[in-house]
Amino acid sequence: MATMARANSGPAYPERFYAAASYAGFDGSPNSNAKDIASRFSNDVALILYALYQQATVGPCTVPKPSSWSPVEHSKWKSWQQLGNMVSIEAMRLFVKILEEEEPGWYSRASNSVSEPVIDVQMNHNSNVEPIIENRNSFAETKIISAENGGLMETQDKDVVSEGLGSIVVYDKWISPPVIGQRPKARYQHGAAVVQDKMYIYGGNHNGRYLNDLHVLDLRSWTWSKVEAKVVPKSVESPSPVNIAPCAGHSLIPWENKLLSIAGHTKVPSETIQGKAFDLQTGTWSVLNTYGKAPVSRAGQSVTLVGTTLVIFGGQDAKRTLLNDLHILNLETMTWNEIDAVGAPPSPRADHAAAIHAERYLLVFGGGSHATCFNDLHVFDLQAMEWSRPTQQGEIPTPRAGHASVTVGENWFIVGGGDNKSGKCLALKSNRRLNMFLDFPGALETVVLNMSTLAWSVVASVEGLVPLASEWFNCVRNAAMEIELLHADQQGMVDRC
């Protein structure tokens, strides 16, 4: 039976947003004081609230980039511009959600209410809901569910149709899009990366056999094709082709007009990390010539792009020794540097996830040793060169390794993985801009960490056996398109959520 969510939760949208914006100081009047807003929230929170308010009330950012000498205005512009074509109602919901995370009792303390038209929001467990039409976008109503702490937890299990790059649809279940072309063979421990509207996958493990093939999926036409790559000779003096050895457990990073394949295990292991680059314009592979002391070879590491550097942490070497060292590769000079950090680092591990926040903080979550999996969170400050282990908030995820992750704004989505105990795999269902590749069946779970508040929440969880979970897969964000989730199973199938 449907009930009115607003009975215990205050006004519905958009009235709830206007009340939240007024409470936070974003009332649109000349008396709004940006300094007061900044003093109430951290810089990161104030910036994202500003951006979401602009997105909700004005729309996507079309104003020119401000002068470089105004860092505050530049940060505000960048925060707004990064929201892309997010529809107004989603910006409203995120604004309210972030405010409730910062000040859970804001509504009871709000002194002003805004007399905007009230929209009744129903909690209806049936899938038929009527969409609201706003600014030529279509989106269905939100389910608002009371959480234990008195706040609200919102889900968006409906179709979203928006203009721009064609009709993009969000579903509350996995579907199989009409993928055509030559599909890659089934694999795991492969690399995946999105460049514009194409997703590339390279290498991986197929039944214990390492691969070195490169495939591309056109995300507009849903067409697979194999890339027939060429190889650049080592030098004029030595014109013999470079051997691009099959590998698995590597990382694939888009950089300028290239795809960089870093680390990974090969049949004949090397002593140090090897890298190679695929030039997307010429269609050629070449070996990366690096300088300095290269780290020991490994797989299951994390490789995170931070500005013009790659930050490599952990993994497992060819002798199955687990690692917790930290190295940086400067992509402009191609020089390796080992970081001499202070503080207690994470224990040696592989198959963890890592993300960068505010271009300064490296977050490391989970991973596994030979005997157990972890659910600890560590932060490395790239300016202070110091490790710390902050206190996690909210519903902390279960231990896992082999999971994938992707960041969307300040949210870090953790997808899938295994726990080494029950043999179960944990995987994903999300309603944000994500693309993912999976490999094996299992249960469904997706969690998200707000990187500013370090608060966890569960995006979705589905009980029972479903063919949408795995370990050692890849999750990549496609910023050019709207909401897409991709899944590659043992037969090489692709699904979308």
Side-chain angles (χ1 to χ4, degrees):
M1 177 182 296
T3 58
M4 302 308 297
R6 59 179 301 188
N8 298 317
S9 306
Y13 291 91
E15 186 183 19
R16 189 174 187 84
F17 162 75
Y18 290 118
S22 178
Y23 174 81
F26 296 90
D27 57 10
S29 70
N31 296 324
S32 294
N33 192 326
K35 291 183 178 180
D36 290 343
I37 296 168
S39 66
R40 292 178 58 183
F41 306 101
S42 68
N43 290 338
D44 290 340
V45 173
L47 279 175
I48 191 60
L49 286 177
Y50 164 82
L52 289 168
Y53 178 80
Q54 293 295 101
Q55 193 82 7
T57 57
V58 178
C61 179
T62 58
V63 299
K65 185 177 181 179
S67 302
S68 59
W69 52 263
S70 178
V72 174
E73 292 304 314
H74 177 78
S75 297
K76 291 166 64 178
W77 176 87
K78 183 178 179 182
S79 184
W80 182 14
Q81 190 266 344
Q82 286 178 339
L83 295 180
N85 293 321
M86 178 186 291
V87 295
S88 174
I89 195 68
E90 184 178 1
M92 291 182 180
R93 291 172 182 142
L94 289 176
F95 185 100
V96 173
K97 183 175 182 180
I98 291 172
L99 179 61
E100 286 173 345
E101 289 175 350
E102 293 294 310
E103 300 188 28
W106 74 268
Y107 186 73
S108 63
R109 296 193 298 269
S111 58
N112 298 321
S113 61
V114 182
S115 57
E116 293 292 327
V118 176
I119 300 173
D120 288 335
V121 180
Q122 295 186 343
M123 296 192 328
N124 192 332
H125 296 289
N126 296 323
S127 60
N128 296 323
V129 293
E130 292 295 324
I132 306 167
I133 306 298
E134 175 177 317
N135 297 333
R136 299 176 66 189
N137 295 312
S138 171
F139 45 88
E141 296 178 348
T142 304
K143 298 175 184 177
I144 302 183
I145 305 171
S146 296
E148 290 183 2
N149 60 3
L152 297 181
M153 179 174 63
E154 302 172 3
T155 62
Q156 187 175 344
D157 298 340
K158 73 290 288 179
D159 293 352
V160 174
V161 180
S162 106
E163 294 181 350
L165 298 166
S167 295
I168 309 299
V169 184
V170 182
Y171 298 91
D172 62 352
K173 61 182 179 181
W174 288 93
I175 66 165
S176 295
V179 176
I180 59 176
Q182 182 183 358
R183 293 185 310 193
K185 65 175 61 177
R187 67 193 65 205
Y188 59 96
Q189 293 182 313
H190 51 289
V194 165
V195 179
Q196 296 179 347
D197 55 0
K198 292 181 172 60
M199 177 162 57
Y200 296 84
I201 66 168
Y202 168 67
N205 192 322
H206 174 72
N207 295 332
R209 177 170 163 259
Y210 295 160
L211 306 171
N212 66 349
D213 51 348
L214 179 65
H215 298 260
V216 59
L217 176 65
D218 189 312
L219 296 172
R220 295 179 184 266
S221 63
W222 295 104
T223 303
W224 277 112
S225 57
K226 183 177 181 180
V227 180
E228 298 298 338
K230 298 172 287 185
V231 177
V232 175
K234 290 183 179 180
S235 65
V236 176
E237 295 79 13
S238 178
S240 59
V242 175
N243 179 28
I244 302 300
C247 63
H250 53 286
S251 301
L252 196 64
I253 307 294
W255 168 251
E256 295 181 336
N257 63 336
K258 296 180 175 65
L259 296 173
L260 305 182
S261 176
I262 306 296
H265 286 323
T266 56
K267 186 176 181 180
V268 180
S270 61
E271 292 185 0
T272 58
I273 281 184
Q274 301 297 303
K276 45 188 177 284
F278 181 76
D279 191 308
L280 294 167
Q281 295 180 345
T282 63
T284 55
W285 280 106
S286 60
V287 172
L288 288 180
N289 294 316
T290 61
Y291 306 93
K293 184 180 179 181
V296 64
S297 65
R298 66 194 66 198
Q301 70 291 320
S302 61
V303 178
T304 310
L305 180 64
V306 184
T308 60
T309 63
L310 295 180
V311 181
I312 291 89
F313 171 74
Q316 180 177 246
D317 69 14
K319 298 179 181 178
R320 300 190 71 236
T321 300
L322 291 165
L323 307 166
N324 66 345
D325 51 347
L326 197 60
H327 299 262
I328 287 181
L329 176 62
N330 187 313
L331 294 176
E332 294 181 327
T333 63
M334 285 298 165
T335 302
W336 286 104
N337 287 292
E338 183 172 4
I339 297 178
D340 186 14
V342 298
S347 59
R349 66 191 61 200
D351 303 321
H352 52 279
I356 191 70
H357 176 53
E359 294 296 303
R360 175 175 175 175
Y361 302 102
L362 180 75
L363 284 72
V364 174
F365 172 75
S369 66
H370 300 310
T372 188
C373 292
F374 308 110
N375 65 344
D376 49 354
L377 177 67
H378 299 260
V379 176
F380 182 74
D381 187 330
L382 287 164
Q383 290 185 13
M385 295 296 178
E386 181 177 8
W387 282 107
S388 62
R389 186 173 177 179
T391 301
Q392 303 179 64
Q393 307 294 331
E395 189 173 347
I396 300 175
T398 56
R400 64 192 66 199
H403 46 291
S405 71
V406 67
T407 58
V408 182
E410 292 201 339
N411 292 319
W412 187 23
F413 290 85
I414 303 292
V415 184
D419 62 11
N420 257 11
K421 294 179 180 179
S422 63
K424 283 187 175 180
C425 296
L426 313 163
L428 139 92
K429 180 174 170 275
S430 171
N431 62 354
R432 298 303 306 277
R433 297 180 176 183
L434 309 176
N435 286 329
M436 64 176 293
F437 263 70
L438 310 172
D439 302 292
F440 301 116
L444 282 178
E445 185 185 58
T446 298
V447 295
V448 60
L449 176 72
N450 183 301
M451 292 186 288
S452 292
T453 64
L454 298 182
W456 289 101
S457 57
V458 176
V459 175
S461 180
V462 178
E463 299 297 330
L465 296 176
V466 287
L468 296 171
S470 73
E471 300 171 80
W472 299 318
F473 58 92
N474 286 283
C475 181
V476 289
R477 177 188 176 193
N478 178 17
M481 301 181 70
E482 282 298 330
I483 307 156
E484 303 290 344
L485 302 178
L486 304 179
H487 163 265
D489 63 16
Q490 296 182 70
Q491 286 74 44
M493 300 294 291
V494 175
D495 291 341
R496 177 178 71 174
C497 183

